[in-house]
Amino acid sequence: RINGYDNVTPTLPAKTHAPNVTFEQRLLKKINDLFLGYGFYESVTSSLVGRPLMDEFMLAFNDEKAVCVKNPQSEDHTTLRQTLIPNMLQSVKYNLSNGQKNIWLYEIGRTYLKEEETTAKNSGVKETRMLSGVVTGSIDNNLWITKPQTDFYTLKGVIEGLFELLGLQNRIKLEPCTDVTYLHPGKAAKITLMGKGMPNVGCFGLVHPLIKDKEKFNQEVYVFELNLDKILTNKFTSIPIMMLLLIFIFW
């Protein structure tokens, strides 16, 4: 600084390295490409939510595991999110109120739950990568021809396409779901991966009629949320190590 930056001779690093893209990153890119190919738009929403937003969309909130903000700007930004669903439904509400009827959105983001006490080496917060989305309106945006509307099976096809991409299509099991507060009890399904532990990895279905009436949605809205960390973990552990190395080399 004393000598002067202009007097420093520019040089390149002694060695240059190509960026290292992991197998998991390549897989996430393929998931993004899949949803974009289906006609979805990627959404990036705030990680901060508030109790009023959760209550508005009939979502459960765990106070004991909440990661709270010390000095929130408003009551709508008091905690880190525990689910991506309120962000999705808020986006639907905004778009419908502004005249946009065909809404296909998805987001890959993290949720936050406090599992342990905070220490100098551990925040105690569990971060989980989730995949969430919403579909409503026409299947095709063509304005000149009347097109079929999205329904339960439209979203089911998208979910099955995702698991087919991951090579897990033979392991998924769909069962009726009646205990998710924001979903219609007769038009919802939970997704289980068959195998060790039989983990529940998510759910999808029609938005609950009470939410539809309260928010004045004039069309059916379908949402889904998947625990992407659980899905990817099961994908990685289900492939033999040597096979995984060969896939990584030749992908």
Side-chain angles (χ1 to χ4, degrees):
R1 189 169 55 182
I2 295 173
N3 184 50
Y5 289 116
D6 294 337
N7 296 322
V8 177
T9 303
T11 59
L12 291 173
K15 294 182 180 180
T16 56
H17 299 278
N20 183 24
V21 181
T22 65
F23 178 75
E24 186 176 351
Q25 288 171 330
R26 296 187 188 197
L27 200 56
L28 287 173
K29 183 181 184 303
K30 285 186 172 290
I31 293 173
N32 279 289
D33 290 343
L34 176 74
F35 277 89
L36 294 174
Y38 277 138
F40 282 78
Y41 289 92
E42 185 176 8
S43 174
V44 180
T45 57
S46 173
S47 296
L48 292 173
V49 297
R51 192 59 178 267
L53 184 64
M54 304 292 289
D55 293 340
E56 180 180 354
F57 296 117
M58 297 170 54
L59 286 151
F61 186 80
N62 192 329
D63 290 299
E64 294 181 356
K65 295 188 176 183
V67 182
C68 301
V69 179
K70 284 189 175 181
N71 299 303
Q73 296 179 346
S74 68
E75 62 179 4
D76 294 326
H77 303 85
T78 56
T79 63
L80 290 175
R81 62 190 176 188
Q82 299 179 359
T83 170
L84 274 60
I85 292 297
N87 304 76
M88 290 290 104
L89 294 178
Q90 192 175 40
S91 297
V92 170
K93 180 180 178 180
Y94 177 81
N95 279 276
L96 288 177
S97 64
N98 284 277
Q100 178 56 259
K101 303 300 181 184
N102 302 323
I103 307 165
W104 289 52
L105 298 174
Y106 82 99
E107 179 176 1
I108 297 176
R110 295 187 181 274
T111 58
Y112 306 86
L113 292 173
K114 186 176 181 181
E115 299 287 352
E116 304 172 359
E117 289 299 322
T118 303
T119 64
K121 296 183 179 180
N122 183 13
S123 67
V125 177
K126 181 182 179 182
E127 297 185 21
T128 306
R129 183 164 38 198
M130 308 292 287
L131 168 61
S132 184
V134 58
V135 294
T136 182
S138 257
I139 294 177
D140 194 323
N141 285 332
N142 193 326
L143 300 178
W144 296 99
I145 304 173
T146 302
K147 294 292 182 179
Q149 299 292 300
T150 54
D151 57 15
F152 179 86
Y153 296 99
T154 305
L155 186 52
K156 179 174 178 285
V158 172
I159 300 296
E160 289 175 341
L162 170 65
F163 283 99
E164 184 175 355
L165 172 73
L166 299 175
L168 299 172
Q169 67 273 21
N170 296 325
R171 291 184 55 195
I172 61 170
K173 181 180 180 182
L174 304 181
E175 296 178 310
C177 178
T178 60
D179 57 350
V180 179
T181 55
Y182 58 86
L183 293 179
H184 190 300
K187 296 182 179 180
K190 67 177 180 180
I191 307 167
T192 303
L193 277 180
M194 294 183 289
K196 186 177 180 180
M198 295 283 285
N200 178 18
V201 295
C203 60
F204 68 96
L206 178 65
V207 167
H208 200 287
L210 293 178
I211 298 177
K212 180 184 176 183
D213 293 342
K214 180 181 177 181
E215 302 300 332
K216 299 181 180 178
F217 295 161
N218 55 4
Q219 59 194 57
E220 306 291 357
V221 178
Y222 296 85
V223 295
F224 70 91
E225 185 166 57
L226 303 172
N227 188 321
L228 204 52
D229 279 347
K230 276 187 181 179
I231 294 171
L232 295 181
T233 299
N234 273 271
K235 175 172 176 58
F236 295 151
T237 55
S238 64
I239 302 176
I241 297 298
M242 290 304 297
M243 183 64 71
L244 185 60
L245 290 174
L246 289 173
I247 292 174
F248 181 75
I249 291 170
F250 293 106
W251 196 341

